[in-house]
Amino acid sequence: MLTLAIVSAATNEVTGLTNTYNLVSPWLVYLACTILISTMVASLALWSGKARSATVARSSAPPSSHDAAGRASLVRALVERRSVFPRDYARGHGREVPREVVDSMLEAACWAPFHGSKPPWRFVVLGKQSMRSMQELTLRYYDEKENWRAAGRWADEEAYARWREMTEGEITGRWGPVSYMIAIVMRRQAGSKRVPEWEEMCATAAAVQNMHVQLSSFPDVGGYWSSWHSSARDSEDMRKFLNMEDPEDKCLGFFIVAPCETTELPRDRRSREAFVPLTTEWRD
Protein backbone atom coordinates (compact mmCIF):
# COMPACT_ATOMS: atom_id res chain seq x y z
CA MET A 1 0.00 0.00 0.00
CA LEU A 2 2.78 2.39 0.92
CA THR A 3 4.67 1.61 -2.30
CA LEU A 4 1.56 2.27 -4.38
CA ALA A 5 1.13 5.61 -2.67
CA ILE A 6 4.72 6.56 -3.50
CA VAL A 7 4.33 5.56 -7.14
CA SER A 8 1.04 7.47 -7.39
CA ALA A 9 2.59 10.58 -5.91
CA ALA A 10 5.58 10.33 -8.23
CA THR A 11 3.32 9.85 -11.28
CA ASN A 12 1.27 12.91 -10.40
CA GLU A 13 4.45 14.92 -9.98
CA VAL A 14 5.79 13.81 -13.35
CA THR A 15 2.45 14.47 -15.05
CA GLY A 16 2.62 18.02 -13.76
CA LEU A 17 6.10 18.42 -15.15
CA THR A 18 5.13 17.10 -18.59
CA ASN A 19 2.16 19.39 -18.73
CA THR A 20 4.25 22.35 -17.74
CA TYR A 21 7.26 21.76 -19.96
CA ASN A 22 5.63 19.64 -22.72
CA LEU A 23 7.91 16.67 -21.92
CA VAL A 24 6.33 14.16 -24.26
CA SER A 25 9.29 11.83 -24.71
CA PRO A 26 8.59 8.50 -22.90
CA TRP A 27 12.16 8.03 -21.79
CA LEU A 28 12.17 11.46 -20.17
CA VAL A 29 8.99 10.55 -18.28
CA TYR A 30 10.57 7.23 -17.20
CA LEU A 31 13.76 8.96 -16.04
CA ALA A 32 11.84 11.54 -14.07
CA CYS A 33 9.70 8.84 -12.39
CA THR A 34 12.78 6.82 -11.43
CA ILE A 35 14.52 9.80 -9.85
CA LEU A 36 11.46 10.90 -7.88
CA ILE A 37 10.56 7.41 -6.64
CA SER A 38 14.16 6.69 -5.53
CA THR A 39 14.31 9.97 -3.63
CA MET A 40 10.98 9.37 -1.88
CA VAL A 41 11.84 5.76 -0.94
CA ALA A 42 15.23 6.81 0.48
CA SER A 43 13.54 9.50 2.58
CA LEU A 44 10.98 7.00 3.85
CA ALA A 45 13.70 4.47 4.78
CA LEU A 46 15.63 7.12 6.68
CA TRP A 47 12.54 8.12 8.64
CA SER A 48 11.60 4.47 9.33
CA GLY A 49 15.12 3.67 10.61
CA LYS A 50 15.06 6.59 13.02
CA ALA A 51 11.64 5.51 14.29
CA ARG A 52 12.86 1.93 14.87
CA SER A 53 15.97 3.15 16.66
CA ALA A 54 13.87 5.27 18.98
CA THR A 55 11.57 2.29 19.69
CA VAL A 56 14.50 -0.02 20.47
CA ALA A 57 16.07 2.60 22.71
CA ARG A 58 12.83 2.95 24.65
CA SER A 59 12.26 -0.82 24.95
CA SER A 60 15.84 -1.59 26.05
CA ALA A 61 16.06 1.17 28.61
CA PRO A 62 16.54 -0.24 32.12
CA PRO A 63 13.50 -0.02 34.41
CA SER A 64 13.38 2.85 36.82
CA SER A 65 14.79 2.13 40.25
CA HIS A 66 11.56 3.61 41.60
CA ASP A 67 9.33 1.27 39.57
CA ALA A 68 6.70 0.33 42.15
CA ALA A 69 5.14 -2.35 39.94
CA GLY A 70 8.48 -4.08 39.49
CA ARG A 71 9.20 -4.08 43.21
CA ALA A 72 5.72 -5.39 43.95
CA SER A 73 6.11 -8.30 41.50
CA LEU A 74 9.45 -9.26 43.06
CA VAL A 75 8.05 -9.19 46.59
CA ARG A 76 5.07 -11.23 45.41
CA ALA A 77 7.40 -13.89 43.97
CA LEU A 78 9.22 -14.07 47.31
CA VAL A 79 5.97 -14.22 49.28
CA GLU A 80 4.69 -17.08 47.13
CA ARG A 81 7.79 -19.22 47.66
CA ARG A 82 6.70 -22.37 49.46
CA SER A 83 8.25 -25.59 50.68
CA VAL A 84 5.94 -28.32 49.40
CA PHE A 85 6.34 -31.71 51.09
CA PRO A 86 5.57 -35.27 49.91
CA ARG A 87 2.03 -35.35 51.33
CA ASP A 88 1.03 -32.87 48.59
CA TYR A 89 2.76 -34.61 45.67
CA ALA A 90 0.69 -36.02 42.80
CA ARG A 91 0.43 -39.80 43.05
CA GLY A 92 -0.83 -42.41 40.63
CA HIS A 93 -1.20 -40.11 37.63
CA GLY A 94 2.10 -40.79 35.88
CA ARG A 95 2.87 -37.08 35.88
CA GLU A 96 6.45 -35.87 35.59
CA VAL A 97 7.97 -32.43 35.93
CA PRO A 98 9.28 -31.25 32.52
CA ARG A 99 13.03 -30.83 32.28
CA GLU A 100 12.47 -27.20 31.23
CA VAL A 101 11.31 -26.45 34.79
CA VAL A 102 14.64 -27.62 36.22
CA ASP A 103 16.54 -25.76 33.49
CA SER A 104 14.82 -22.53 34.55
CA MET A 105 15.67 -23.23 38.20
CA LEU A 106 19.34 -23.71 37.35
CA GLU A 107 19.33 -20.51 35.29
CA ALA A 108 17.90 -18.60 38.27
CA ALA A 109 20.62 -20.06 40.49
CA CYS A 110 23.31 -18.55 38.25
CA TRP A 111 22.26 -15.03 39.31
CA ALA A 112 23.10 -15.55 42.98
CA PRO A 113 26.02 -13.46 44.30
CA PHE A 114 29.45 -15.02 44.86
CA HIS A 115 33.08 -14.02 45.20
CA GLY A 116 35.84 -15.00 42.83
CA SER A 117 35.72 -15.86 39.15
CA LYS A 118 33.57 -19.00 39.40
CA PRO A 119 30.47 -19.87 41.45
CA PRO A 120 31.11 -22.18 44.41
CA TRP A 121 28.02 -24.30 43.83
CA ARG A 122 27.66 -27.47 41.80
CA PHE A 123 24.38 -29.25 41.17
CA VAL A 124 23.90 -32.91 40.28
CA VAL A 125 20.40 -33.53 38.89
CA LEU A 126 19.26 -37.06 39.70
CA GLY A 127 16.50 -38.64 37.62
CA LYS A 128 14.41 -41.66 38.59
CA GLN A 129 17.10 -44.32 38.35
CA SER A 130 19.81 -42.17 39.94
CA MET A 131 17.48 -41.24 42.80
CA ARG A 132 16.88 -44.91 43.53
CA SER A 133 20.62 -45.61 43.41
CA MET A 134 21.31 -42.77 45.84
CA GLN A 135 18.70 -44.04 48.31
CA GLU A 136 19.99 -47.60 48.10
CA LEU A 137 23.49 -46.21 48.74
CA THR A 138 22.13 -44.48 51.87
CA LEU A 139 20.78 -47.77 53.24
CA ARG A 140 23.97 -49.69 52.40
CA TYR A 141 26.05 -47.10 54.20
CA TYR A 142 24.15 -47.56 57.47
CA ASP A 143 24.20 -51.36 57.08
CA GLU A 144 27.93 -51.67 56.46
CA LYS A 145 30.15 -51.95 59.53
CA GLU A 146 27.08 -51.10 61.58
CA ASN A 147 27.48 -47.44 60.78
CA TRP A 148 24.00 -46.95 62.17
CA ARG A 149 25.45 -47.29 65.67
CA ALA A 150 27.98 -44.48 65.10
CA ALA A 151 25.21 -42.24 63.79
CA GLY A 152 23.66 -42.18 67.26
CA ARG A 153 20.09 -41.90 65.98
CA TRP A 154 18.73 -45.26 67.13
CA ALA A 155 18.58 -46.68 70.62
CA ASP A 156 19.13 -50.29 69.55
CA GLU A 157 19.21 -52.63 66.58
CA GLU A 158 15.46 -53.17 66.69
CA ALA A 159 14.82 -49.44 66.35
CA TYR A 160 17.22 -49.26 63.43
CA ALA A 161 15.54 -52.24 61.73
CA ARG A 162 12.16 -50.49 61.93
CA TRP A 163 13.62 -47.29 60.48
CA ARG A 164 15.35 -49.20 57.71
CA GLU A 165 12.20 -51.02 56.67
CA MET A 166 10.29 -47.73 56.59
CA THR A 167 13.03 -45.95 54.63
CA GLU A 168 13.33 -48.73 52.07
CA GLY A 169 9.58 -48.51 51.49
CA GLU A 170 9.89 -44.77 50.92
CA ILE A 171 11.93 -45.35 47.74
CA THR A 172 8.72 -46.17 45.86
CA GLY A 173 6.31 -44.69 48.40
CA ARG A 174 7.20 -41.29 49.83
CA TRP A 175 9.66 -40.48 47.03
CA GLY A 176 7.83 -42.32 44.26
CA PRO A 177 6.17 -39.23 42.72
CA VAL A 178 9.38 -37.22 42.75
CA SER A 179 10.76 -36.36 39.30
CA TYR A 180 14.16 -35.05 40.36
CA MET A 181 16.44 -34.79 43.37
CA ILE A 182 19.08 -32.12 42.86
CA ALA A 183 22.23 -32.68 44.91
CA ILE A 184 23.54 -29.37 46.30
CA VAL A 185 27.32 -29.34 46.45
CA MET A 186 29.48 -26.52 47.78
CA ARG A 187 32.84 -26.43 46.04
CA ARG A 188 35.39 -25.20 48.55
CA GLN A 189 37.57 -23.50 45.94
CA ALA A 190 35.93 -23.22 42.55
CA GLY A 191 38.26 -20.52 41.22
CA SER A 192 41.84 -19.40 41.81
CA LYS A 193 40.90 -17.14 44.71
CA ARG A 194 40.41 -18.86 48.05
CA VAL A 195 37.72 -17.25 50.19
CA PRO A 196 36.38 -18.20 53.65
CA GLU A 197 34.21 -21.30 53.70
CA TRP A 198 31.24 -19.50 55.22
CA GLU A 199 31.12 -17.19 52.20
CA GLU A 200 31.01 -20.15 49.83
CA MET A 201 28.20 -21.70 51.85
CA CYS A 202 26.23 -18.46 51.88
CA ALA A 203 26.62 -18.09 48.13
CA THR A 204 25.44 -21.66 47.56
CA ALA A 205 22.44 -21.10 49.83
CA ALA A 206 21.59 -17.93 47.88
CA ALA A 207 21.66 -19.95 44.65
CA VAL A 208 19.28 -22.51 46.17
CA GLN A 209 16.93 -19.71 47.27
CA ASN A 210 16.84 -18.46 43.68
CA MET A 211 16.00 -21.98 42.51
CA HIS A 212 13.24 -22.27 45.08
CA VAL A 213 11.65 -18.93 44.14
CA GLN A 214 11.73 -19.88 40.47
CA LEU A 215 10.17 -23.30 41.15
CA SER A 216 7.33 -21.64 43.06
CA SER A 217 6.38 -19.69 39.94
CA PHE A 218 5.02 -22.92 38.41
CA PRO A 219 1.46 -23.63 39.61
CA ASP A 220 1.48 -27.44 39.59
CA VAL A 221 5.04 -28.17 40.76
CA GLY A 222 6.59 -28.04 44.22
CA GLY A 223 9.56 -29.06 46.27
CA TYR A 224 11.86 -28.23 49.15
CA TRP A 225 15.44 -28.38 50.34
CA SER A 226 16.07 -31.63 52.22
CA SER A 227 19.16 -31.98 54.41
CA TRP A 228 18.89 -35.77 53.87
CA HIS A 229 20.30 -38.37 56.26
CA SER A 230 23.36 -36.57 57.55
CA SER A 231 25.77 -39.47 58.16
CA ALA A 232 25.15 -40.96 54.72
CA ARG A 233 25.16 -37.52 53.12
CA ASP A 234 28.62 -36.77 54.53
CA SER A 235 30.04 -40.22 53.83
CA GLU A 236 32.85 -41.09 51.47
CA ASP A 237 30.39 -43.27 49.55
CA MET A 238 28.22 -40.25 48.79
CA ARG A 239 31.27 -38.20 47.79
CA LYS A 240 32.19 -40.81 45.21
CA PHE A 241 28.61 -41.09 43.99
CA LEU A 242 28.44 -37.32 43.38
CA ASN A 243 31.98 -37.09 41.96
CA MET A 244 33.14 -34.68 44.67
CA GLU A 245 36.86 -34.51 43.99
CA ASP A 246 38.08 -31.94 46.51
CA PRO A 247 38.10 -33.35 50.08
CA GLU A 248 36.85 -29.97 51.35
CA ASP A 249 33.75 -29.96 49.13
CA LYS A 250 30.48 -30.52 50.99
CA CYS A 251 27.11 -31.95 50.04
CA LEU A 252 24.47 -29.70 51.61
CA GLY A 253 21.51 -31.96 50.87
CA PHE A 254 19.08 -32.41 48.01
CA PHE A 255 16.42 -30.21 46.48
CA ILE A 256 13.29 -32.23 45.81
CA VAL A 257 11.21 -31.47 42.68
CA ALA A 258 7.82 -33.12 42.16
CA PRO A 259 4.41 -32.58 40.52
CA CYS A 260 1.71 -31.44 42.95
CA GLU A 261 -1.93 -32.39 43.44
CA THR A 262 -3.18 -28.82 43.69
CA THR A 263 -2.31 -25.38 42.40
CA GLU A 264 -3.23 -23.75 45.72
CA LEU A 265 -0.32 -22.57 47.83
CA PRO A 266 0.10 -24.43 51.12
CA ARG A 267 -0.53 -22.22 54.09
CA ASP A 268 2.45 -20.54 55.74
CA ARG A 269 1.60 -20.46 59.45
CA ARG A 270 4.39 -18.03 60.30
CA SER A 271 3.60 -14.32 60.27
CA ARG A 272 6.47 -12.77 58.34
CA GLU A 273 5.39 -9.23 59.21
CA ALA A 274 5.87 -10.02 62.89
CA PHE A 275 9.49 -11.01 62.25
CA VAL A 276 10.59 -7.56 61.06
CA PRO A 277 10.70 -5.83 64.49
CA LEU A 278 12.13 -9.00 66.04
CA THR A 279 15.01 -9.39 63.59
CA THR A 280 15.85 -5.79 62.70
CA GLU A 281 17.58 -3.04 64.64
CA TRP A 282 17.87 0.48 63.23
CA ARG A 283 20.65 2.81 64.30
CA ASP A 284 21.41 6.44 63.43
Side-chain angles (χ1 to χ4, degrees):
M1 294 293 291
L2 187 58
T3 303
L4 289 175
I6 294 173
V7 172
S8 178
T11 302
N12 291 337
E13 188 69 21
V14 170
T15 301
L17 288 173
T18 56
N19 291 336
T20 302
Y21 298 103
N22 296 319
L23 297 175
V24 294
S25 176
W27 73 269
L28 288 176
V29 174
Y30 173 77
L31 179 60
C33 274
T34 302
I35 294 172
L36 281 171
I37 291 173
S38 299
T39 303
M40 295 174 74
V41 169
S43 299
L44 178 62
L46 179 61
W47 173 85
S48 178
K50 289 181 177 179
R52 284 197 300 270
S53 298
T55 302
V56 170
R58 286 194 298 271
S59 63
S60 62
S64 169
S65 59
H66 301 289
D67 180 6
R71 294 200 307 275
S73 63
L74 175 59
V75 172
R76 181 175 180 81
L78 296 172
V79 168
E80 291 183 349
R81 183 201 61 79
R82 289 289 186 276
S83 291
V84 183
F85 299 103
R87 62 177 174 269
D88 292 318
Y89 296 164
R91 300 178 184 276
H93 305 299
R95 287 176 51 198
E96 296 294 339
V97 176
R99 174 171 174 163
E100 291 74 17
V101 172
V102 177
D103 286 337
S104 70
M105 293 170 63
L106 298 174
E107 181 181 2
C110 289
W111 292 98
F114 60 91
H115 283 166
S117 58
K118 296 181 180 179
W121 55 79
R122 175 173 169 265
F123 300 114
V124 182
V125 183
L126 306 181
K128 289 288 188 180
Q129 185 55 52
S130 296
M131 285 190 291
R132 185 181 187 92
S133 298
M134 188 275 291
Q135 294 176 79
E136 292 172 346
L137 178 152
T138 297
L139 293 173
R140 285 198 306 273
Y141 168 78
Y142 285 114
D143 288 342
E144 292 174 358
K145 302 178 183 178
E146 294 191 338
N147 285 327
W148 64 268
R149 293 187 186 276
R153 292 178 53 186
W154 301 277
D156 51 38
E157 189 170 358
E158 183 180 351
Y160 170 69
R162 289 195 300 269
W163 173 87
R164 194 195 188 288
E165 181 180 6
M166 176 193 71
T167 303
E168 187 171 20
E170 288 179 344
I171 295 176
T172 55
R174 175 184 177 89
W175 306 117
V178 174
S179 296
Y180 301 98
M181 289 183 176
I182 305 175
I184 304 162
V185 177
M186 181 214 71
R187 297 188 295 177
R188 181 64 187 90
Q189 187 175 4
S192 58
K193 180 180 179 181
R194 187 173 178 84
V195 299
E197 184 182 60
W198 70 267
E199 293 187 14
E200 306 286 46
M201 282 193 172
C202 288
T204 303
V208 176
Q209 167 74 353
N210 283 10
M211 291 170 56
H212 202 165
V213 172
Q214 178 66 8
L215 176 67
S216 298
S217 68
F218 295 93
D220 56 352
V221 180
Y224 73 103
W225 184 352
S226 168
S227 57
W228 203 241
H229 307 287
S230 57
S231 295
R233 179 199 64 210
D234 299 336
S235 68
E236 188 62 30
D237 293 347
M238 187 67 75
R239 296 181 64 83
K240 291 179 180 178
F241 180 77
L242 298 176
N243 292 326
M244 297 165 58
E245 298 177 355
D246 192 312
E248 292 187 283
D249 291 355
K250 286 183 171 59
C251 176
L252 303 181
F254 296 83
F255 198 96
I256 313 300
V257 182
C260 295
E261 289 283 7
T262 177
T263 59
E264 295 182 5
L265 291 172
R267 181 184 175 189
D268 189 342
R269 297 179 176 84
R270 294 167 291 191
S271 174
R272 304 292 176 155
E273 292 80 4
F275 290 167
V276 175
L278 294 176
T279 59
T280 308
E281 176 185 355
W282 290 73
R283 295 187 179 185
D284 293 332

